Amino acid sequence: MHIHILGICGTFMGGVAALAREAGHTVTGCDAGVYPPMSDQLRALSIELIEGFGVEQLALKPDMFVIGNVVSRQHLEDGSPKFPLMEAILDQGLPYTSGPQWLSEHVLQGRHVLAVAGTHGKTTTTSMLAWILECAGLTPGFLVGGVPLDFGVSARLGEKASEQERPLFVIEADEYDTAFFDKRSKFVHYRPRTAVLNNLEFDHADIFPDLAAIERQFHHLVRTVPASGRVVINGLEEALTRVLHQGCWSEQRTFGAAVSDFTAVGEHHAFDVLQQGRKVGRVEWELSGEHNQLNALAAIAAAEHVGVAPAVAAQALGSFHNVKRRMELRGTVVGITVYDDFAHHPTAIRTTLDGLRQRVGQQQRILAVFEPRSNTMKLGTMKAQLPWSLKEADLAFCHTAGLDWNAAEALEALGDAAFTTDNIDTLVRQVLTHVRPGDHIVCMSNGGFGGIHGKLLTALQDQFATA
């Protein structure tokens, strides 16, 4: 089969492309505004990338067009369609489907799917779970919304282990909608036998009116888990308790709360894993923060459902190397450290900075450089939470391009510690004016952020190393 993917450079659709290619399909795709790491992965797979969404791509004559949720029926100010290729597909009655639907029908059928859902930590927890299964010799397939450093790719098909009834497949289960023609959450298509509900709070204000609407989607996921399946739940989350009160027909395992099936005792970087109060393993690793400790418990509980003992899972996590763009070290110049992180929701910003603060202590300064780039943040729905999210930062620098709300006003509570600009080069200069040797600079965005990491490192080298 030849599939042509519209929006191929998104983390999910890029993973679909990689799986389709590995399965022997011919894969081409198009997108706009390409940036690493997905563009690098696709080129390494020799997948042809076409810039834009032009009608001329019909000449490829694929068997199926696979549509990413970046594609819409939107028209520009001059009345022309933003996605002319999609309009031509509709006009000519050509076959098309969504990425999740194609994945469900051509990859997930017949597999034991382990799906990781939640507002935060999906990518990291999915990567942890895949790594645990890999270390246990189960060779899982996976699709992650990022590039796990331990695998170097975001997706693979995997193999059936001899002791498993079905091949295992670990997938990041996103609650965002499937496509412009299918407004259900992506994860409804995955039909997991093991479902992790990591956490739940309001997000995606562009498609969900309130938290209750997201809770309903999570319950749709719970409804698809068979009686022989397992639902792993964060016991600290009231929203998830409400989801389960709507009905659950599968085995349940909890983690995180004081009274849970799986709990942790110790520091976030070195802790014992307890199962119903009894020590069953120990995790010692380089990751920091309570959020990663909870992610670990979720992954351990999910892995146990397919026969991996908690002690084996905990040992595997000791060699886990996280995911690209999750507090990824980008470079150090005269003791100034620059990190890249995917955080964009206020809670994610808060947990990222809290984790770094616990690691570096109170004597070293943290400079938070961020852009409110997600659809939710662009709407300003959560702007009031920004001062709270930046509490552990000594200085905050906000890139304001594309915002319809006043970021300087939203950050007033931070006083002289907050800086705003709509220009990347100006943002770099602002940081250079205030940075000192020994500082930690955390760049946070769910996009390419204008290549700010490289610009900062080059500018720091020019300013300090040659001084």
Side-chain angles (χ1 to χ4, degrees):
M1 174 185 286
H2 175 190
I3 65 172
H4 186 63
I5 301 178
L6 281 68
I8 193 171
C9 289
T11 52
F12 173 78
M13 298 302 285
V16 171
L19 292 170
R21 183 63 182 266
E22 186 181 351
H25 300 289
T26 299
V27 183
T28 54
C30 63
D31 213 326
V34 174
Y35 59 88
M38 194 51 63
S39 58
D40 295 339
Q41 175 174 297
L42 293 170
R43 291 189 180 103
L45 293 171
S46 299
I47 292 175
E48 180 185 354
L49 302 180
I50 300 172
E51 180 69 26
F53 298 87
V55 175
E56 70 280 356
Q57 295 173 50
L58 292 181
L60 293 169
K61 296 184 178 179
D63 300 293
M64 181 67 68
F65 291 95
V66 182
I67 314 301
N69 68 1
V70 68
V71 176
S72 71
R73 302 296 303 280
Q74 181 182 350
H75 280 63
L76 304 175
E77 290 184 4
D78 63 3
S80 63
K82 183 176 181 180
F83 299 94
L85 177 57
M86 189 69 238
E87 296 301 319
I89 293 168
L90 293 171
D91 285 340
Q92 297 188 28
L94 300 175
Y96 67 91
T97 188
S98 68
Q101 185 70 37
W102 191 92
L103 187 72
S104 173
E105 294 173 354
H106 296 274
V107 175
L108 302 183
Q109 288 288 340
R111 295 175 182 260
H112 182 129
V113 176
L114 301 95
V116 179
T119 308
H120 312 292
K122 290 188 293 294
T123 301
T124 302
T125 307
T126 305
S127 302
M128 287 181 187
L129 180 52
W131 183 241
I132 288 170
L133 301 184
E134 179 78 358
C135 291
L138 300 181
T139 322
F142 58 81
L143 196 165
V144 185
V147 180
L149 296 172
D150 293 309
F151 292 102
V153 294
S154 68
R156 77 174 188 195
L157 289 176
E159 301 174 1
K160 181 181 178 299
S162 58
E163 59 267 45
Q164 295 293 325
E165 181 181 350
R166 302 176 178 86
L168 303 179
F169 196 93
V170 185
I171 188 166
E172 179 172 334
D174 186 7
E175 71 272 24
Y176 206 80
D177 61 11
T178 296
F180 75 85
F181 51 87
D182 182 352
K183 307 314 286 183
R184 294 173 296 171
S185 290
K186 290 190 184 78
F187 57 41
V188 173
H189 295 274
Y190 301 157
R191 311 290 174 86
R193 303 188 73 82
T194 308
V196 175
L197 309 185
N198 221 11
N199 42 61
L200 179 55
E201 64 177 297
F202 184 63
D203 196 5
H204 309 309
D206 52 324
I207 61 172
F208 292 118
D210 50 35
L211 179 57
I214 309 177
E215 290 175 6
R216 280 194 294 275
Q217 292 295 322
F218 269 69
H219 192 248
H220 293 333
L221 176 64
V222 171
R223 286 173 180 269
T224 67
V225 182
S228 59
R230 172 180 291 189
V231 180
V232 177
I233 312 107
N234 184 339
L236 297 168
E237 295 279 327
E238 291 183 8
L240 292 178
T241 299
R242 291 194 295 271
V243 169
L244 294 180
H245 280 169
Q246 296 180 50
C248 183
W249 302 268
S250 312
E251 176 185 84
Q252 298 180 38
R253 290 292 184 271
T254 56
F255 68 92
V259 180
S260 296
D261 295 301
F262 290 87
T263 54
V265 176
E267 301 296 324
H268 299 147
H269 67 278
F271 57 92
D272 292 332
V273 177
L274 277 60
Q275 184 174 11
Q276 297 177 341
R278 180 175 61 89
K279 180 181 174 181
V280 291
R282 181 169 178 80
V283 176
E284 296 184 4
W285 58 2
E286 296 182 357
L287 275 65
S288 60
E290 181 184 11
H291 59 299
N292 279 320
Q293 190 180 67
L294 292 171
N295 292 340
L297 293 176
I300 290 168
E304 189 203 37
H305 189 226
V306 293
V308 180
V312 174
Q315 183 177 13
L317 289 176
S319 61
F320 176 70
H321 290 105
N322 217 330
V323 185
K324 280 185 177 291
R325 306 204 64 202
R326 269 61 179 182
M327 284 303 290
E328 180 184 1
L329 176 63
R330 293 295 296 267
T332 303
V333 177
V334 293
I336 300 168
T337 310
V338 177
Y339 305 90
D340 182 14
D341 195 82
F342 198 71
H344 50 92
H345 186 286
T347 301
I349 293 172
R350 170 91 177 206
T351 55
T352 292
L353 297 177
D354 283 355
L356 180 60
R357 177 60 71 198
Q358 290 172 27
R359 197 169 83 206
V360 305
Q362 296 297 326
Q363 302 307 311
Q364 298 184 51
R365 297 199 314 166
I366 297 174
L367 279 61
V369 184
F370 69 100
E371 62 173 355
R373 182 184 175 276
S374 71
N375 290 333
T376 299
M377 294 304 291
K378 282 183 177 179
L379 290 170
T381 308
M382 298 181 178
K383 62 184 180 182
Q385 297 180 36
L386 282 175
W388 165 82
S389 72
L390 296 161
K391 181 177 180 293
E392 290 298 340
D394 295 278
L395 299 173
F397 302 83
C398 179
H399 183 227
T400 63
L403 302 183
D404 293 329
W405 47 275
N406 191 323
E409 186 178 283
L411 296 171
E412 275 183 345
L414 301 179
D416 294 340
F419 305 86
T420 62
T421 178
D422 61 0
N423 182 274
I424 292 289
D425 291 334
T426 302
L427 195 68
V428 170
R429 288 195 293 272
Q430 288 177 338
V431 174
L432 289 179
T433 300
H434 295 88
V435 71
R436 306 172 191 163
D439 286 349
H440 298 265
I441 304 174
V442 186
C443 302
M444 294 175 284
S445 170
N446 66 339
F449 209 163
I452 194 170
H453 323 86
K455 290 181 178 181
L456 275 170
L457 287 167
T458 298
L460 289 168
Q461 186 75 24
D462 291 344
Q463 178 163 309
F464 287 98
T466 59

